[in-house]
Amino acid sequence: MRFHALSSDRVVVTNLVGEHVVLPRAELDEVVTGGRPAPATITAMRARQMIRAPEDTLPLELLAMKLRTQKRRLAELTSLHMFVVTLRCEHTCRYCQVSRQATGRGEFDMTQETAEAALGHVFASPSQQLKIEFQGGESLLNFDLIKWVVLRAEQLNHDEQRDLAFVIATNLALVDDEMLDFCAEHQIVLSTSLDGPADLHNHNRRRPGQDSWQRAVEGIRRVTARLGPDYVSALMTTTEESLDQPEAIINSYAELGLTGIFLRPISPYGFALRLRGGGRYDTQRWLEFYRRGLAHIIELNRAGTPMTEIYAAIIAKKMFTNDDPGYVDLTSPAGIGIGGIVYNYDGGIYACDEGRMLAETGDQTFRLGTVHDSWADIMGSHKLLDPLWESFTLSVPGCDQCAFEPWCGADPTFHHATQNDFAGHKALSAFCARNTGIFTYLVELADSDSFVKDLLYSWAHR
Ligand code: SF4
């Protein structure tokens, strides 16, 4: 067992697979010094295989079985395949992480030949679940290729019989009825960006006419009307200007009928580094923003308005179930390459989208090869295996002793970008500080407020 002190005199104790109990500190002292803990403490800790009688081997077998169940997805690599169909974009967002190109520059579009080779990789991966996500630039600027890939993938899947799904990441400014008809016919989900109220969104996400927010909102309404609410989701990015208005951002989602929001910090990759403060505002300020936002979401739910904070829901699944939600930033081994992989417009293959963004600034660390290399060569390359094994949390100093290790993950791209090291020094890691802050906050909330505990539990079991 591993433990972490909370702000009161209580501690959270976890086992190898993330099951947990919260105890008074004195009670844990009784356990570890061989004293006289309460019978209820012994029952709770034995049920989670945190303690056992010396002759009792069953708890070890049970724990091993839980760990095997949790890690079974590792045999199912790779389920998420991201196609960068173009670098062209009609937006000039302040935090853009790729080298967007002007809309007239067709040489920055993926070709059918490249897409065909990339599809060879998609179907070479052993995963039964295959999700193809189209990205840009603005992906709808190359909608003809999206249509071609969808039809070709469905044709290939006629023999393969995988569980095939499609997502288009788009700012929705250019969506039209013909595109929506195609999405409806092929059950394609649209994922868009919405940073909050109009003034904040349009300040961050600039386009001719300053109408990005109006077009995104109109697009969300059109997708909802044509395909249904389950076929559109929105993501926000937190900028300096967002930090003092989490409530307004969340309310803008609720007003649109959206029932989930992912409170995301800005990432220190690619061209986002040009933002003030290198794009890396103080982690404590972001945590304050997150706590205020989550408190507001809890109050909305208490008042009867359903709203989920998606990062908290992912963590709740780890806290309260033995299921791994498979979120690529919170897995160990890391999700790069084996959880998701990126095919760039020019045929380059990257271990993750952040790796592609780093490449835009000249750092090719996460470029694994091209679509013309074999799947086995890509998956077996040291450029992928080195960051995977070097960042494996059970053997990384700091993480190996951390009570939150089963809920956390390895992020070799973040630590390479910020510390030039795949594992990273956790005392200096903004990733670690952010997650420690959120894990601690969620445990304390659930420990002190039964409504919040039930809410997190319901998010975990959705
Ligand atoms: S990154 Fe930090 S919070 Fe996550 S497991 Fe490692 S030490 Fe714990």
Side-chain angles (χ1 to χ4, degrees):
M1 61 180 170
R2 290 170 283 188
F3 62 92
H4 182 89
L6 304 176
S7 53
S8 58
D9 66 344
R10 292 168 74 77
V11 286
V12 56
V13 187
T14 60
N15 68 6
L16 187 62
V17 293
E19 294 167 322
H20 70 285
V21 290
V22 181
L23 301 170
R25 174 72 194 236
E27 192 70 355
L28 181 63
D29 288 346
E30 291 293 317
V31 174
V32 296
T33 58
R36 291 183 174 274
T41 302
I42 295 176
T43 303
M45 296 183 83
R46 287 190 75 170
R48 292 165 180 78
Q49 296 85 45
M50 292 167 176
I51 54 176
R52 66 182 173 103
E55 69 285 358
D56 195 358
T57 57
L58 187 62
L60 296 180
E61 289 164 28
L62 272 173
L63 202 52
M65 189 178 70
K66 289 178 185 174
L67 190 62
R68 274 199 302 277
T69 306
Q70 210 173 62
K71 300 291 183 193
R72 68 186 183 279
R73 68 174 177 86
L74 288 173
E76 280 272 304
L77 66 145
T78 301
S79 59
L80 176 62
H81 298 262
M82 291 166 266
F83 282 53
V84 181
V85 293
T86 183
L87 281 190
R88 292 185 291 143
C89 190
E90 28 59 82
H91 272 65
T92 48
C93 301
R94 293 174 65 231
Y95 47 61
C96 183
Q97 294 165 343
V98 296
S99 56
R100 61 186 170 266
Q101 298 294 331
T103 51
R105 305 197 64 184
E107 68 269 32
F108 291 99
D109 286 2
M110 182 181 274
T111 63
Q112 283 184 11
E113 186 206 7
T114 300
E116 174 77 24
L119 281 171
H121 285 264
V122 173
F123 285 98
S125 61
S127 178
Q128 177 60 26
Q129 321 280 331
L130 293 177
K131 182 183 282 182
I132 296 178
E133 181 175 305
F134 300 103
Q135 296 199 356
E138 168 45 41
S139 52
L140 294 185
L141 283 167
N142 198 6
F143 192 68
D144 283 346
L145 185 80
I146 291 178
K147 282 199 293 191
W148 186 88
V149 171
V150 169
L151 295 173
R152 180 74 179 127
E154 287 177 342
Q155 189 182 40
L156 293 168
N157 200 40
H158 193 261
D159 293 333
E160 294 275 350
Q161 292 295 308
R162 312 280 188 101
D163 301 326
L164 186 61
F166 302 100
V167 177
I168 300 176
T170 167
N171 58 43
L172 284 178
L174 305 174
V175 73
D176 62 25
D177 287 341
E178 188 199 334
M179 293 171 182
L180 288 180
D181 287 346
F182 185 82
C183 291
E185 194 180 330
H186 298 274
Q187 300 188 312
I188 301 172
V189 172
L190 291 112
S191 170
T192 195
S193 298
L194 187 70
D195 283 355
D199 52 349
L200 174 64
H201 180 100
N202 286 338
H203 177 70
N204 288 341
R205 303 181 59 81
R206 294 166 183 173
R207 78 183 301 280
Q210 283 300 299
D211 61 353
S212 176
W213 184 86
Q214 286 78 359
R215 284 174 177 257
V217 166
E218 174 64 15
I220 290 169
R221 291 196 175 116
R222 286 174 69 186
V223 179
T224 305
R226 179 70 182 84
L227 287 93
D230 293 343
Y231 282 83
V232 65
S233 63
L235 282 172
M236 59 81 62
T237 299
T238 311
T239 55
E240 180 88 19
E241 293 78 7
S242 317
L243 292 174
D244 61 357
Q245 47 182 319
E247 297 85 2
I249 293 168
I250 293 159
N251 290 346
S252 73
Y253 273 59
E255 283 158 15
L256 275 169
L258 296 167
T259 55
I261 185 167
F262 198 143
L263 298 174
R264 289 193 315 164
I266 205 156
S267 310
Y269 304 111
F271 290 95
L273 288 170
R274 291 176 187 163
L275 271 176
R276 187 147 52 101
R280 287 165 289 178
Y281 39 70
D282 179 51
T283 302
Q284 291 310 319
R285 285 189 66 205
W286 186 84
L287 278 171
E288 185 53 35
F289 164 83
Y290 183 85
R291 289 190 197 105
R292 260 178 68 182
L294 190 59
H296 185 60
I297 287 170
I298 291 165
E299 289 316 308
L300 284 178
N301 281 282
R302 235 191 269 272
T305 303
M307 178 64 72
T308 303
E309 202 290 300
I310 294 169
Y311 198 61
I314 292 166
I315 296 164
K317 199 171 212 32
K318 290 168 166 259
M319 288 170 69
F320 296 114
T321 80
N322 196 29
D323 251 2
D324 182 348
Y327 178 62
V328 291
D329 289 352
L330 286 180
T331 59
S332 178
I336 61 167
I338 58 176
I341 198 161
V342 180
Y343 309 99
N344 205 7
Y345 75 97
D346 60 359
I349 295 185
Y350 292 88
C352 53
D353 210 27
E354 292 79 6
R356 170 176 73 108
M357 294 162 189
L358 284 178
E360 298 290 351
T361 53
D363 182 346
Q364 302 286 343
T365 304
F366 295 94
R367 183 182 163 97
L368 304 179
T370 79
V371 290
H372 304 296
D373 296 317
S374 74
W375 174 256
D377 283 348
I378 294 288
M379 285 292 131
S381 79
H382 279 286
K383 291 195 81 170
L384 178 57
L385 297 180
D386 287 355
L388 285 177
W389 75 259
E390 285 184 31
S391 64
F392 187 59
T393 51
L394 277 173
S395 57
V396 163
C399 301
D400 63 335
Q401 303 283 322
C402 176
F404 300 131
E405 185 275 333
W407 303 342
C408 199
D411 197 336
T413 324
F414 181 93
H415 290 109
H416 170 79
T418 54
Q419 297 188 25
N420 198 25
D421 183 90
F422 292 137
H425 192 312
K426 299 309 172 188
L428 308 174
S429 163
F431 172 89
C432 179
R434 198 168 61 234
N435 281 326
T436 302
I438 295 174
F439 297 143
T440 306
Y441 186 52
L442 292 179
V443 170
E444 287 179 338
L445 278 176
D447 187 44
S448 60
D449 185 331
S450 62
F451 178 84
V452 177
K453 186 168 188 177
D454 290 348
L455 185 64
L456 290 175
Y457 203 75
S458 71
W459 291 353
H461 286 89
R462 281 200 323 192

